[in-house]
Amino acid sequence: MPGGADFWITQFLNGLQFSMLLFLLSIGLTVIFGLLHFVNLAHGALYMLGAYVGVSAAAHLGGYWSALVLGPLAVMAIGIVLYLTLIKRMRRAGPMNQVLVTFGLIFVIVDIVRILWGDVALGLAEPASLSGPIQIFGVSYPAYRVFVTAVGLVVMIALSVVLNRTQIGAMIRAGVENDAMAACLGINVERLFFLVFCVGCALAGLAGVIAVPLFSATPGMGTDILIPTLIVVVIGGLGSLNGAILGSLIVGFIQTFGAVVTPGLASVLVYVLLAAVLITKPAGLLPARG
Amino acid sequence: MFEQTPVKTAAVAATIAALAAYAIFGGYFSREIVIEIAILAILAISLDFVAGFGGMISLCHGAIFGLGAYTFAVMTAMWDQPGALAALAAILVATAFGLAVGAVTSKTTGIFFIMATLAFGQMVYVATFESQWLGGDDGMSGVARFDLSPIGIELGDSLQFALFCLAVLGTAYALLAMVLRAGFGQTLIGVHTNEDRMRALGLSTWRHKAAAFAISSAVAGAGGVLAAQHTQFVSPELMVWTLSGEVLVIVILGGIGTLVGPVIGAAVLILLKHEISTYTDHWHMFIGVVLIATVLAGGRGIFGQIEHLIAGGGRGAGRDA
């Protein structure tokens, strides 16, 4: 077994950071799932678009911070176009057709990215203020990774305040619970769907931008992250914020610690966990509906 | 209801005959394409059997196909067993795995079923990828083709192998059509149409779905046996989930729930792929657009659309499931 306490603290921080990235992706997917009953396999492709737009924004407009603003906005705009052209009319088409159409979208978006940006991996430098290591729990750890974790935590807290403490949050929860009844009570469910979809897309774009300095932008990044994200959503329970948090932590830590303790078996472990959850608790660990 | 209508028989016979003619009169390259089409068509009809008639959209059929290929490779290349025994073992392993997956997942529906099959498929993929014994990432080479020289067939020749694959495709189609016409298939379609009612009639629906999944897996495993012999090489690429996705595209393009459609879909898609790849590198974008257009056009697919037109645009005869 390698390393001492420092090593395990570093791995813990890595696990937390990966969990937060998964959280940013899965929260959008899970609420879209729960509220719109829409299976959006193209969510990973939107994450990839965020990354590439971020790279270009940083190159042309100067620096990381412009990427952090423009990436999510651009992905949200693309999401709006997709919503109006395709997703709205696929809403009632059943999960199979949704899976197929969004699977087709993955192919299209990946090839558009390859045409516009090429096949090579593109990097994005972290901002100078976050480039060095910092001391945390007595170990030296890259400041940028702490920043990623912090972004995830801030989004998590903000979403949980919005969902649990505000009127719009109550409306979203009502929509997830029973959209027909929510509509009867005078909630404009369609507008709510649209809003949630936009926020979900923006968060995917945000995750894409903050992931680039860690992993670089590649045309395969969207498909690579899609499966862990779907696993998080299914393990946690569709439409549930707490489920997305729990699922992200479980998958993030299993992948990080599994890669250290049992290299090779780490990815199998995640799938075994998914199968076990689906068999014993098909609705997920913390389902949104009672 | 599934009916082996004269239109269906004519369509499948014409497609297989056209492919055979293409192999006979074309060169080496067209024979390789025909082999690729025949093998993918076998996998596609096995998927259509569960997806189109049982409502079970499986994303682990690539893994089952790969299990068949790997079992065949281990039996022949590693253990020096005769081809017939190896093929039998491959089909048995694929069937057993399919039965297990079917039994465990058949109580879930919709997106949960899709995710569960994805999980089991990826487990097999990752386990194979990481297994040193199976050659890991590099796969395994030295797989022998069937030795049919005693009856005068030389499968080392690409034309004879292409015709052999088409014969297997025809047999697999006939078998699955027979099962669908029999009580078993009618019951499966009944479960897909209204599972609660079938349960109320006293059927153990999950057991029936698991059995259907096992039958489909046997055919997918047989496809894997041919795939291993085709390239005489197996690698984890055979098992990755996107292959299952591409086979699903073939099923949708050809016409889900028609059994003939996937054969046509495999031929159209592979031929287009080779044509388009000579002009552009962006073949996948084309697949994506075709897939989206097919679903938006009503999701009938090529053969479903033909049946729909023949039926006078009324109730499509192909949309039975």
Side-chain angles (χ1 to χ4, degrees), chain A residues 234-237 273-287, chain B residues 108 112:
Chain A
V234 173
I235 288 181
L273 177 74
L274 171 61
V277 169
L278 277 169
I279 293 161
T280 54
K281 297 196 73 169
L285 295 175
L286 298 172
Chain B
T108 60
F112 294 102

Side-chain angles (χ1 to χ4, degrees), chain B residues 171-210:
Chain B
T171 314
Y173 178 88
L175 276 177
L176 289 180
M178 250 162 60
V179 174
L180 283 172
R181 282 172 67 190
F184 184 91
Q186 305 296 359
T187 311
L188 179 65
I189 294 165
V191 173
H192 177 35
T193 314
N194 191 337
E195 188 160 347
D196 289 337
R197 180 178 289 181
M198 292 308 283
R199 209 178 287 124
L201 288 172
L203 181 77
S204 171
T205 53
W206 73 269
R207 200 175 292 176
H208 201 82
K209 282 160 84 174

Side-chain angles (χ1 to χ4, degrees), chain B residues 104-139:
Chain B
V104 171
T105 56
S106 59
K107 281 180 183 153
T108 60
T109 51
I111 187 66
F112 294 102
F113 182 84
I114 298 176
M115 287 304 297
T117 54
L118 178 70
F120 284 110
Q122 286 295 94
M123 262 187 241
V124 173
Y125 167 68
V126 176
T128 311
F129 195 91
E130 300 290 348
S131 163
Q132 293 306 313
W133 182 63
L134 294 171
D137 192 9
D138 295 331

Side-chain angles (χ1 to χ4, degrees), chain B residues 2-317:
Chain B
F2 175 84
E3 269 182 80
Q4 181 61 31
T5 55
V7 182
K8 278 200 169 107
T9 311
V12 74
T15 310
I16 291 180
L19 289 172
Y22 187 56
I24 291 167
F25 299 111
Y28 173 77
F29 191 57
S30 54
R31 286 165 193 170
E32 290 297 305
I33 291 179
V34 169
I35 297 170
E36 195 182 339
I37 291 171
I39 292 172
L40 273 179
I42 293 170
L43 183 55
I45 57 173
S46 79
L47 180 60
D48 193 26
F49 181 77
V50 280
F53 298 97
M56 296 183 273
I57 311 294
S58 157
L59 281 183
C60 69
H61 262 59
I64 296 169
F65 178 73
L67 265 180
Y70 262 92
T71 310
F72 187 79
V74 168
M75 290 288 282
T76 56
M78 210 185 277
W79 294 345
D80 282 324
Q81 296 297 315
L85 187 66
L88 191 68
I91 293 173
L92 278 180
V93 167
T95 312
F97 179 77
L99 188 65
V101 172
V104 171
T105 56
S106 59
K107 281 180 183 153
T108 60
T109 51
I111 187 66
F112 294 102
F113 182 84
I114 298 176
M115 287 304 297
T117 54
L118 178 70
F120 284 110
Q122 286 295 94
M123 262 187 241
V124 173
Y125 167 68
V126 176
T128 311
F129 195 91
E130 300 290 348
S131 163
Q132 293 306 313
W133 182 63
L134 294 171
D137 192 9
D138 295 331
M140 213 190 303
S141 58
V143 183
R145 290 186 179 174
F146 284 135
D147 180 16
L148 295 182
S149 49
I151 53 170
I153 298 174
E154 197 47 68
L155 289 184
D157 173 59
S158 68
L159 174 60
Q160 301 205 16
F161 190 68
L163 295 178
F164 177 71
C165 288
L166 287 174
V168 176
L169 170 62
T171 314
Y173 178 88
L175 276 177
L176 289 180
M178 250 162 60
V179 174
L180 283 172
R181 282 172 67 190
F184 184 91
Q186 305 296 359
T187 311
L188 179 65
I189 294 165
V191 173
H192 177 35
T193 314
N194 191 337
E195 188 160 347
D196 289 337
R197 180 178 289 181
M198 292 308 283
R199 209 178 287 124
L201 288 172
L203 181 77
S204 171
T205 53
W206 73 269
R207 200 175 292 176
H208 201 82
K209 282 160 84 174
F213 208 82
I215 293 173
S216 162
S217 303
V219 175
V225 169
L226 290 180
Q229 294 185 47
H230 175 211
T231 50
Q232 303 187 285
F233 166 74
V234 287
S235 80
E237 286 302 302
L238 289 169
M239 298 176 160
V240 68
W241 75 277
T242 43
L243 174 71
S244 304
E246 283 178 31
V247 176
L248 193 57
V249 174
I250 289 178
V251 172
I252 300 301
L253 174 69
I256 187 169
T258 62
L259 207 63
V260 185
V263 179
I264 300 172
V268 170
L269 210 67
I270 300 297
L271 286 172
L272 277 176
K273 173 175 152 184
H274 285 286
E275 279 304 305
I276 293 171
S277 301
T278 53
Y279 298 107
T280 163
D281 197 21
H282 300 289
W283 144 250
H284 275 108
M285 182 189 287
F286 177 80
I287 289 200
V289 171
V290 165
L291 181 59
I292 295 171
T294 312
V295 175
L296 289 183
R300 287 192 197 92
I302 298 171
F303 191 76
Q305 197 64 41
I306 293 173
E307 281 193 329
H308 185 69
L309 292 176
I310 292 174
R315 277 191 66 241

Side-chain angles (χ1 to χ4, degrees), chain A residues 62-95:
Chain A
Y64 179 85
W65 300 110
S66 58
L68 197 64
V69 175
L70 282 177
L73 285 179
V75 174
M76 190 161 86
I78 295 162
I80 291 173
V81 172
L82 288 180
Y83 186 86
L84 295 177
T85 52
L86 272 180
I87 287 167
K88 204 171 176 189
R89 76 172 75 175
M90 297 306 298
R91 281 266 314 284
R92 307 264 170 235

